Amino acid sequence: QIAVFSALMDTGASVTCISSHVAQSVGLQPVGMRPMTLATHSVPVNVYLVDLLLPFGNAVHILNNVKVMEFIPTGGSPFQMLVGRDIICRGTFTISFDGHFTFSL
């Protein structure tokens, strides 16, 4: 099942994360739990195995069997996914001062 959700390229996140809304919307079942380390403590969260399709311009990058962790978006955030360094570091991510970016795998 293909569904579209807003994602943030989050260089501060070590692991790619999805909200519980994403997991429920596409019928994902957790494959386990893992501690998520926050600034002051860690909490156990669900882990899912997913296939990601990341659209960039006219290209779509497909990543199969990616382990993602569940997170709770902060109030008012439009993002239901955080693309973390586990994916960002597979390619080249360049951010310009004018707000443009490029990402290639």
Side-chain angles (χ1 to χ4, degrees):
Q1 177 179 358
I2 295 178
V4 177
F5 301 97
S6 296
L8 174 69
M9 299 291 280
D10 190 346
T11 59
S14 57
V15 176
T16 297
C17 300
I18 62 172
S19 69
S20 60
H21 170 72
V22 171
Q24 291 172 2
S25 294
V26 297
L28 294 176
Q29 295 298 316
V31 295
M33 294 190 84
R34 180 174 163 188
M36 178 180 280
T37 303
L38 306 171
T40 59
H41 63 288
S42 67
V43 294
V45 297
N46 289 324
V47 175
Y48 301 95
L49 190 60
V50 300
D51 294 332
L52 294 176
L53 286 75
L54 302 175
F56 291 100
N58 293 328
V60 175
H61 298 288
I62 300 171
L63 303 168
N64 295 306
N65 299 317
V66 177
K67 282 189 180 178
V68 298
M69 297 174 73
E70 189 173 295
F71 83 112
I72 299 171
T74 56
S77 174
F79 302 109
Q80 296 295 313
M81 294 180 57
L82 303 175
V83 178
R85 291 189 311 270
D86 59 329
I87 290 177
I88 295 171
C89 290
R90 293 182 186 190
T92 303
F93 183 47
T94 306
I95 305 171
S96 300
F97 288 105
D98 64 0
H100 290 90
F101 73 91
T102 60
F103 182 64
S104 60
L105 285 172

